Amino acid sequence: MQTETAHARLRELILDGGYPPGARLTELEVAATLEMSRTPVREAFRALAADGLVEAAGRGVRVVALDTEALEHSYRVRAALEGLAAELAAERQRAGRLAPADLDDLDALADRTHRATAEGRLTEAVRLNRRFHRRIAELAANPIALHTLDRLWDRLQVSTRTSLTPPGRTGLVDDQHRELLAAIRAGDPAAAQAAARRHVLDTGTAHRTTAASTNDDSE
């Protein structure tokens, strides 16, 4: 039980930016932070390494920092899978297999994501944005795609905040969410697939642009 608790709490800290990419963690430090013994922390480290969130670093672990090439690969795979999920959700909508309440919930999530981002509540915005995209994947009813996306989202979530901060990005994200929702609501698989792919690839481009700018500023 303690191992599961340690894993869940440490994962949340990593995904919310409490431990940023590249941060080194030791069993002693994390055990003190979580107020538990080192044994469940050690097991949590192993589970997080299997998740792809940390890697061995001396006597502890380091939060994985995806390099430019890995990010490019990850976003392209995410774009393909989210495109598939949107396509399947639209097909199910066209077949009358989605409840109106499901689509209304997506609208509400898009609203909440936009407000949180516009007001600078980025930790909340990242969580809501993921819930929005995950809900579409759930509505696609393809458990393999959902499981694979969950692992990708975990590794990319530490980068999501930067993709939301460039000027004009907030409005663009909201517009793309609305376009995606409209295509799903209309039961148009091709349009939904295209909208989802475009949105994810734009997010990847925004991240790379912001990361490059940050590196330039630090030199």
Side-chain angles (χ1 to χ4, degrees), residues 77-158:
V77 172
R78 179 187 162 192
L81 286 175
E82 289 206 25
L84 172 63
E87 179 183 5
L88 293 175
E91 286 179 358
R92 297 186 72 225
Q93 165 68 0
R94 185 171 60 185
R97 298 173 64 188
L98 296 186
D102 289 328
L103 298 177
D104 291 343
D105 286 345
L106 278 173
D107 276 326
L109 274 172
D111 286 340
R112 293 174 62 194
T113 300
H114 179 60
R115 285 198 302 271
T117 307
E119 293 169 6
R121 293 179 279 115
L122 294 186
T123 296
E124 181 182 357
V126 168
R127 292 176 179 173
L128 289 169
N129 184 67
R130 177 162 175 173
R131 283 177 59 189
F132 172 82
H133 288 285
R134 194 178 195 281
R135 186 61 186 135
I136 292 174
E138 289 172 346
L139 295 178
N142 185 315
I144 295 175
L146 178 61
H147 174 74
T148 307
L149 278 168
D150 267 332
R151 289 181 62 86
L152 268 176
W153 283 325
D154 274 356
R155 299 190 71 190
L156 288 169
Q157 186 165 327
V158 292

Side-chain angles (χ1 to χ4, degrees), residues 180-204:
L180 174 55
L181 278 174
I184 293 174
R185 192 179 286 277
D188 188 336
Q193 191 264 5
R197 279 183 57 85
R198 183 166 53 251
H199 172 56
V200 174
L201 292 175
D202 281 355
T203 300

Side-chain angles (χ1 to χ4, degrees), residues 6-16 48 53 130 154:
H7 176 260
R9 292 177 63 189
L10 190 51
R11 176 178 174 274
E12 183 178 2
L13 282 168
I14 291 171
L15 295 181
D16 285 348
L48 289 166
L53 289 177
R130 177 162 175 173
D154 274 356

